[in-house]
Amino acid sequence: MSSPTPARVSPDISPPPGGRWAAVLALAGATFSVVTTEMLPVGLLTPLGDGLGVSAGTAGLALTLPGLVAAVAAPLLPVAVRRADRRRVLVGLSLLLAAADLLSALAPGVAALLVARALVGVCIGGVWAVAAGLAVRLVPAASVGRATAVVFSGIAVASVLGVPAGTVLGATAGWRWAFAGLAVLAVAVAAALALALPPLPAEHTVGTGELRRVAALPGVRRGLAVVGLLVTGHFAAYTYVRSVLERVPGLGAGAAGTLLLGYGVAGVVGTFAAGPAAARGPRRTVCVVAAGVTAVVALLVPAGGSLGASALLLVLWGFVYGGVAVSAQTWLTAAAPRAPEAVSALIAAVFNTAIALGAFTGGRTADTAGATGVLWLGAGLALLSVLAALPRPAARRARRTRRPESAGGPGRTAGGWGT
């Protein structure tokens, strides 16, 4: 596969009034709002179930359903809005998210809540599919890696700030007010997108045929397999991280919350560290990230008796996993540089499917093999992703043979590790 074509700012896009980075920050606000909304039920399951008169397991559908809907919506929404201006699409999705959050806040029963959460899934899939590939249209080529990291930082910041803040609001004012607060946030994000983004006409239409064609490209197909294995392994283990931490002698609920906050902060740092690295060598960065997840999750097995070791490993886990989204997006975009939106849609579909699959398989494993079994499952799947990401020997030899032709040129990568 050839070296990635350097990203260029679309010539028809004039800088928005606040500058190109204001537009990038608005996109980060969009990812922050959808992920905070998606994950909020994690901190509200008990009051949510009590308020609607259902079990915790039934209330948990409020978390599972959006992910499954997002996996379907991500590849379909770009087809549905193929000719629409992307600024209008993102503003519309943010307003739909606000309506879904308001419906959640007013839901008289679990059925109405699940309808609202299904709408949230549409917004998640749509924002991921459209926003993830827009950095190349907003900033110069040299800044694309950093801009992509900023867009995806909204995901990590949602874990550090958004979900805890929503949980606190739900605990003090009630779970309905937590959803109402997210509705206000979504409206604010819609306004920021409308003001900060320039017009973003569709560069070309995305149809089901293009999605199939892009998915069939060897580099994309392989990258999606790596993402699927890694994210499934991560969520198989991380969904049950509370059980993992409970193995540490004397660790109370407050200390566990502090450790998870450290994990989230490290994830933000990891996202920004991975952005420039992925711009230089996306596949190499994915391999390093996957190898890091493998090592950290496996080492948590013998570290269960030590608070210090568990704390250090949890922070390292957050740091390395923080680079997954940005490095995977960069790798697969380089594998299909002319179809960034189709790539983003496919990544979002695989990512959300893997989240649901990881949580499901982790739950089954936790029931039979406990926290240790969950960790070994996560580490094993992450290791398979490393093996899948490594360049094949024949490909490395072929790229070394071609290297003199492009030495010193833009997008050059070393040893076949670029795409």
Side-chain angles (χ1 to χ4, degrees):
M1 184 177 297
S2 60
S3 296
T5 302
R8 299 182 182 275
V9 180
S10 298
D12 59 326
I13 296 177
S14 58
R20 299 190 186 279
W21 285 99
V24 172
L25 289 172
L27 293 178
T31 61
F32 171 82
S33 64
V34 294
V35 173
T36 299
T37 301
E38 178 183 17
M39 302 304 295
L40 181 63
V42 170
L44 298 176
L45 278 185
T46 299
L48 193 62
D50 292 343
L52 296 176
V54 297
S55 67
T58 300
L61 292 174
L63 179 63
T64 304
L65 184 60
L68 296 177
V69 173
V72 177
L76 294 182
L77 191 132
V79 176
V81 298
R82 60 179 67 185
R83 298 188 184 278
D85 184 290
R86 272 29 190 170
R87 177 175 63 176
R88 294 181 179 178
V89 171
L90 288 171
V91 171
L93 287 170
S94 293
L95 292 176
L96 178 61
L97 183 67
D101 286 330
L102 184 59
L103 178 58
S104 297
L106 299 175
V110 69
L113 177 69
L114 293 180
V115 169
R117 297 296 290 173
L119 292 177
V120 169
V122 173
C123 299
I124 295 166
V127 168
W128 275 53
V130 175
L134 288 181
V136 297
R137 300 183 63 186
L138 294 172
V139 299
S143 302
V144 168
R146 186 164 70 254
T148 303
V150 171
V151 173
F152 280 106
S153 70
I155 300 172
V157 175
S159 300
V160 177
L161 297 177
V163 174
T167 302
V168 170
L169 179 59
T172 55
W175 64 268
R176 295 184 184 276
W177 282 106
F179 283 108
L182 288 179
V184 174
L185 172 65
V187 171
V189 168
L193 291 167
L195 292 173
L197 288 179
L200 292 166
E203 293 187 316
H204 65 278
T205 60
V206 178
T208 55
E210 180 181 11
L211 288 172
R212 289 194 297 268
R213 179 186 63 79
V214 172
L217 292 173
V220 173
R221 188 169 63 243
R222 192 174 184 188
L224 291 175
V226 171
V227 170
L229 288 167
L230 180 55
V231 175
T232 301
H234 166 79
F235 276 93
Y238 183 70
T239 302
Y240 300 92
V241 69
R242 281 280 185 173
S243 299
V244 171
L245 294 177
E246 287 170 359
R247 303 177 308 154
V248 179
L251 185 68
T258 301
L259 291 180
L260 291 174
L261 176 63
Y263 168 95
V265 172
V268 176
V269 176
T271 299
F272 284 102
R280 294 190 297 269
R283 180 186 293 191
R284 177 176 57 223
T285 305
V286 170
C287 283
V288 170
V289 166
V293 172
T294 303
V296 168
V297 174
L299 287 172
L300 277 169
V301 174
S306 169
L307 175 59
S310 296
L312 175 61
L313 289 170
L314 192 65
V315 170
L316 289 175
W317 189 358
F319 178 79
V320 293
Y321 187 77
V324 170
V326 62
S327 57
Q329 178 73 32
T330 305
W331 179 19
L332 272 78
T333 300
R338 296 183 181 276
E341 197 165 281
V343 165
S344 298
L346 292 169
I347 292 176
V350 170
F351 217 102
N352 282 283
T353 300
I355 290 173
L357 182 60
F360 177 79
T361 56
R364 304 290 75 74
T365 303
D367 288 343
T368 57
T372 298
V374 164
L375 292 174
W376 282 127
L377 173 64
L381 289 171
L383 178 59
L384 289 177
S385 74
V386 176
L387 299 177
L390 290 172
R392 297 184 179 90
R396 288 199 298 265
R397 287 194 297 270
R399 291 180 183 186
R400 290 194 187 102
T401 301
R402 295 196 303 267
R403 186 61 59 198
E405 302 173 9
S406 59
R412 181 183 177 215
T413 54
W417 281 89
T419 58

